[in-house]
Amino acid sequence: MEVGLDAGASVVDLTRVRGLAGIETMPDGGVRIGGAVRLEDVALHDTIRDRYPALAQAAAAVGTPALRAMGTIGGNLGQRPRCWYLRSRIPCLKNGHAGCPARDGENQYHAIFETGPCRAAHPSDTAVALLALDASVVARHASGTRRLSVAELYAPAATDAEHEMALGRREIIEAVELPASAAGGMQRFTKVMQRGAWDFATVSLAATRRGDGTVRLVLGGVAAAPWRVNPSVEEDVASGALDPESADALAARALYDAEPLSQNAYKVDQATALLRRAMVELSRA
């Protein structure tokens, strides 16, 4: 069930706003993606596929072919949680009340990490890859622009009653910028779904190892925002080839702070399996 528009609300088409379209290489070697670029174009763009394959894979994993042909990267980042309590207007933090009914209710698709009152899991696939790639979001407002990291963008997701992103009422996502330092190396995006395709992630993982050996591991579907694994775990993965036992121990450490609800402990198992496999691959790259 979708949340309807409130009386007097308007829908504004941003796809033709100047500066929001196009993918271009920046002078410093990074890549800028306009907020109105279609997900299909992100997934198929030669430069993205070659230099930032984790993002291309994440964009290709979103929804159906029709949705990717219509949906934009800015829209994918800005979508609201797929929480049935929110979308059914049942009293909760996001509907102007206190607390989260999912804690004691139907919570099989909710977050296993607690970062605030709301336990809805953020649904964006591209956000997971962008956090792993240290991307920045350019927010445009009437008097100029400002840049936010992906972590900053979603900082209020679990605590703000009205928003999941740190954007003002009159701000839009103008672009996403990928740094040159995150290009290349070994990159993977993996998505586990209830159905074989065309579904939201129960758990996803963006895993990267850069040319300088730096490792990034970011989980999706497990928190109110993309969840970066503890940097100390990433450093241990980067330190050398892991045997299966070491990978098991590091995956368990990465999920040490997980607090699954009554019906979603399976997400811990899924995240552990994804991390274990990626850790072994990255440590041997």
Side-chain angles (χ1 to χ4, degrees), residues 15-208:
T15 57
R16 297 185 181 181
V17 175
R18 183 177 299 176
L20 268 67
I23 300 174
E24 59 184 12
T25 300
M26 299 185 294
D28 64 358
V31 170
R32 178 183 173 94
I33 305 171
V37 172
R38 308 293 184 183
L39 291 166
E40 179 181 63
D41 294 330
V42 174
L44 297 177
H45 196 276
D46 288 342
T47 300
I48 303 298
R49 294 175 69 178
D50 179 56
R51 301 184 63 204
Y52 305 99
L55 177 58
Q57 293 162 14
V62 174
T64 66
L67 287 174
R68 293 192 292 275
M70 295 185 293
T72 65
I73 190 166
N76 188 259
L77 295 177
Q79 63 186 307
R80 300 213 73 187
R82 313 303 294 187
C83 173
W84 39 63
Y85 294 105
L86 167 63
R87 292 175 180 270
S88 299
R89 298 187 182 275
I90 293 171
C92 71
L93 174 74
K94 297 291 186 178
N95 281 322
H97 300 269
C100 176
R103 291 176 180 274
D104 299 311
E106 294 292 327
N107 52 43
Q108 55 263 46
Y109 301 123
H110 284 69
I112 58 173
F113 290 100
E114 180 168 8
T115 54
C118 178
R119 289 296 292 263
H122 197 272
S124 174
D125 292 320
T126 58
V128 178
L130 290 172
L131 180 56
L133 294 168
D134 288 339
S136 298
V137 172
V138 180
R140 182 197 291 186
H141 48 86
S143 57
T145 61
R146 65 186 179 112
R147 282 172 174 75
L148 301 91
S149 68
V150 175
E152 291 170 336
L153 181 68
Y154 293 115
T159 57
D160 191 310
E162 297 183 359
H163 309 98
E164 287 73 55
M165 298 192 299
L167 295 181
R169 282 190 172 275
R170 298 184 182 276
E171 282 188 310
I172 61 171
I173 295 176
E174 178 179 273
V176 172
E177 295 184 347
L178 297 157
S181 59
M186 181 177 180
Q187 302 184 21
R188 299 283 187 276
F189 177 82
T190 309
K191 179 177 178 179
V192 179
M193 298 172 282
Q194 184 182 36
R195 297 178 294 184
W198 304 351
D199 203 356
F200 295 95
T202 54
V203 176
S204 62
L205 174 67
T208 70

